[in-house]
Each structure stands twice: as C-alpha cells, then as structure tokens.
Amino acid sequence: MKGASQLVAMLPWLAFGHLIPFLQLSISLAKAGFRISFLSTPKNIQRLPKLPQDLTSHITFVELPLPRVDGLDQAAEATVDLPTLADDLLKKAYDLLLPHFHHFVARESPIFIVHDLVTHWTAEIARQFGVPRVLFSIYSAAPIAFVGLGESLSVDQLRKHWPTPESLTSPPPWIPFRSTVAFLPHEGEMMHGMFTTDASGISLAQRVVSAVDGCEAMVLRSCAEYEGEYLDVLKKYPKPVIPIGLLQPEKCETDPTAGDWGSIFRWLDGKAPRSVVFVVFGSECKLRKNEVYEIAHGLELSELDFLWALRRPEWAMDDSEALPTGFEARTKGRGIVHLGWAPQLEILAHQAIGGSMFHAGWGTIIETVQYGHPLVVLPFANVQGLDARLAVEKGLAVEVEREKDGKFHREAITKALRWAVIEDEGEGLRLRSREMMAIFSDRGLHERYLSKFVEFLKGYRTK
C-alpha cells in the first residue's frame, strides 16, 4: 500500500460529538501511515482542534459547502448551532452533500470510506466506484447491542423488535445475561421516533440500516475490559466488529490558565484533594430553564464545592438570567459558574476534582474515568441513557433519579452528588472509579486495539 492507494476518506455527521472522535481516529490512522481526507463543512473544520505539527501533511481537510435548506439558519453547520435538539433540517442539508462527496470519490479514489451511522448515502457511491466502506460508531458497544445489529437487519425487523415506546424500556431477548441497559419511559417515547420520517423523507431507522448494509466492517470506540459481554453480543453480526480502543483525547495546546481560567485554577489549587464537583453538560445539551435551575438548587443544597462550566442558554437574555436569583452570592467561595468554553481535560486532571456530573455522553465518560473520578449521570438525549445505565452497572456511576415523565428535582441532584463524592455509602463507587482509571488511561492497551483495525485495513487490499 503506497502512494495514492493509502488514502482513507473520513465522513462524520455534523455534530462535534461525532467530529472529534472521527478526528481522533484520523490522527491515529495517520500515525499508522495512511493519508487521510477529512470531509466536513468549512465552519466545522475551522472549529476543530489543531493537528499535531508532524501530521499536517498526512491529514487534509476537505471543505464541503453545506447546501441551503429553507428554515435552516445559514450559519448553522453543526448541531451545536441549533437552538433545540431537533436536527431534521440539518440532516436534510447533510444529505444534499451527496453530489459533493460523489465528486470527491471520483477524483481522489480512496481505498476506504469511513462513515457515520446517519450517512446512509455513502452506500450508493461506494457501490458505484467499488470503494469498500467501514462504519465507525462513536457509541459504546452496549447501545449498539441493545438496538439489535445482529445477524441481519432491516427496518421491518427493527419495528418488530421495538413495536412500542414501552418495548424499549426492557433489555431485549438477545442480551443473554442480566442487564440494566434499557431506556426509561420518557426516553423510550423519544427514541421510538427513530421510525418517523424526517425532512429528507427518511427515518433514522432507515439511515442506520442503509449505513450498516454492505459495509465491510463496523468499528466501535470500545474495549473488552469495560464491556466485553456486550461486544460478544455483536459477534453475531456477519461482518467484522472491531473495537478500536477508547481513543483518549489529548489536552488542548492552548494555555488553560489564560484569561479567567488563571484565577479559576488558582481557586482549585486552594481546595482539598477530591473535594470539588465538576459540572458540565457540553455545548450540545439544550437545557431548559427549569432544568438549569434545579441543577443549581441541587448544587446549592449539596453543600459541596463545585465548578460548573455552563454554556449560556438560548432562553437567557443575558448572563444574569442563566442562574436563579442570588445563587452565585449564596454559593460564593465554594462554587464557581463559568459561562462558556472550559478546558475540560485540564480540569478533570486537577487533584481538587472529586467527581463529575454530566449528561452521560460516552466521550465524556471516557474523559472522566481516565482520571479516576466517580460519575453523577443525568442523561438527556440519544443513547445517553443507555451509557448511563451501563456506567451504573459497572459500578462507576450514580444516576440522578427522575419521575416517569423525565422530570428531576433538586433533592435528587443533591442526593446523587453527596453519594458520589462524600457519603460513606459511595466509597465503593469511588474505589471502582479509581480501579477503572488504570484501564481507561492505558494508552498502550488502546493502541493495541487500534492496531487490529490498521491490520484489517492493510490486509483487506492484500486478500
């Protein structure tokens, strides 16, 4: 495999929870000797982290202009740019990238296309040009096993497996061991929407089936040391299912102590080890006013020190409306709320951090456990609930209790925080998190996983 024969095309969905893992995989493959074309929209490419200097000649960013769609803000190129979780119009614009990608494949002749779960239209192009495809799922194995990507897959089969929202609230029969990984009632209502057609006239279920159909392999950001039993379920899939390790993120190259963060890190320096809760729900999580306020009141009632990285909500006219009246004054000295971006890895690495509360996204679980912190999980969207239950199942997390309709209250926030950080009953949780730190932070282990995928790519063309 030399020269142009080594080009791999990477095509992620337009969400930074997908773009970043695809970039991490691109970097890893570039280190293994492949040339990478990373395809996305101009604005998204501009917002990605900078590449390591020694890899800039190995990874090329290919800008695909996002077509205009009526009703979609012209400045919106990723889910983070949307005011709500509804992304139908963005999916429609994404689907209209097909001719641009067609032109790219015709011109560059990649040896492989690595694509996302929603990118159903790569199948048509791959068949036309005879380019093999690899499906990269940025999710852990448990949600994929739960959905049922087994021996065969069709939309009709998915409907049969999941006929009602209630059916999603119990582990499926093909999980042969005791499992708590299932959706809560309010999540089941949301996830059953996968059978509803979107603005492109296609359902999420159809997207997934088309993305899976005909790919040469499925790769997962996972490892057997964490969820081996769920990976075993996926062995029924007729194509190779390759765990590639956890793709641990690197700390940012910019100075984390610049600007306001200098004083915040000095504040952390003055706190006792493992005494501060780090609260972060990311830029993609669209919290309602009552949800932000309940989290705030829960933090206040917990009497724990905390650092909360909060993106100013769309509903807040200014910074003062983002939090309950008087909250910052009442928690002064033991709590800081920073509105905007946060150097998340540097914060998690600080000795003062004793736990983290977040939405249970798989990427943030990886980031947090690699530093040995117990998790307080409060899932909101997609398969976060499944990853939350898996983390609880593995003894790494406590989940904030919710009512049947999905509402949560400040008392539940307080209870979960204190359990994870200071209560005697939570000591096992804290010990287990520190034990799993050895696995999640073992870069050698995860590089060995990735090498299996590299062997697959190189061996595929030599068969």
Side-chain angles (χ1 to χ4, degrees), residues 348-422:
L348 290 168
H350 197 284
Q351 64 176 1
I353 301 300
S356 184
M357 180 167 69
F358 59 103
H359 49 44
W362 178 223
T364 308
I365 290 176
I366 293 169
E367 292 175 357
T368 306
V369 177
Q370 73 171 333
Y371 291 106
H373 300 311
L375 316 176
V376 176
V377 288
L378 183 58
F380 282 96
N382 301 321
V383 298
Q384 291 171 358
L386 300 186
D387 277 321
R389 261 118 264 164
L390 179 62
V392 172
E393 192 173 276
K394 297 297 181 180
L396 300 174
V398 56
E399 184 172 357
V400 175
E401 295 177 1
R402 290 178 183 258
E403 295 180 5
K404 189 174 182 179
D405 63 1
K407 291 180 181 177
F408 59 89
H409 302 288
R410 62 196 68 180
E411 293 82 5
I413 297 285
T414 296
K415 179 181 177 182
L417 287 171
R418 292 185 62 83
W419 178 284
V421 180
I422 61 171

Side-chain angles (χ1 to χ4, degrees), residues 85-292:
L85 288 171
D87 59 4
D88 271 21
L89 294 178
L90 188 63
K91 282 194 176 84
K92 183 175 182 179
Y94 184 65
D95 292 343
L96 294 174
L97 290 176
L98 187 153
H100 296 283
F101 186 65
H102 182 280
H103 179 70
F104 166 83
V105 174
R107 183 182 72 246
E108 300 294 341
S109 301
I111 63 159
F112 261 99
I113 297 169
V114 180
H115 62 94
D116 218 321
L117 269 171
V118 302
T119 321
H120 64 100
W121 37 268
T122 55
E124 174 187 333
I125 296 172
R127 282 192 296 267
Q128 181 177 347
F129 292 98
V131 181
R133 296 183 295 133
V134 169
L135 172 61
F136 174 33
S137 169
I138 58 103
Y139 303 108
S140 64
I144 305 300
F146 178 92
V147 169
L149 303 187
E151 296 178 358
S152 58
L153 183 69
S154 70
V155 176
D156 287 342
Q157 284 175 315
L158 287 176
R159 283 187 179 277
K160 182 179 178 181
H161 292 327
W162 309 115
T164 64
E166 291 75 21
S167 65
L168 289 157
T169 60
S170 300
W174 54 83
I175 303 292
F177 47 85
R178 186 176 180 181
S179 172
T180 60
V181 175
F183 290 104
L184 296 181
H186 72 281
E187 296 168 339
E189 291 281 350
M190 174 186 65
M191 289 304 300
H192 206 256
M194 64 180 163
F195 298 113
T196 303
T197 56
D198 58 28
S200 291
I202 185 172
S203 68
L204 177 59
Q206 289 172 300
R207 288 177 181 276
V208 172
V209 167
S210 296
V212 171
D213 183 42
C215 68
E216 305 303 324
M218 182 191 307
V219 297
L220 303 172
R221 190 182 185 186
S222 181
C223 66
E225 288 77 7
Y226 179 61
E227 52 174 352
E229 67 274 36
Y230 292 96
L231 284 166
D232 287 343
V233 172
L234 292 173
K235 289 180 180 178
K236 295 179 181 179
Y237 183 59
K239 303 290 178 65
V241 175
I242 307 171
I244 57 171
L246 300 183
L247 298 176
Q248 302 105 318
E250 302 284 351
K251 294 179 182 178
C252 64
E253 295 182 2
T254 56
D255 182 4
T257 64
D260 293 344
W261 284 105
S263 61
I264 293 174
F265 275 99
R266 287 191 293 274
W267 178 82
L268 284 173
D269 291 341
K271 296 296 181 180
R274 296 190 176 274
S275 65
V276 178
V277 176
F278 179 44
V279 182
V280 60
F281 287 91
S283 55
E284 307 270 352
C285 195
K286 319 294 183 181
L287 297 173
R288 300 183 181 92
K289 184 174 183 178
N290 66 302
E291 292 169 337
V292 171

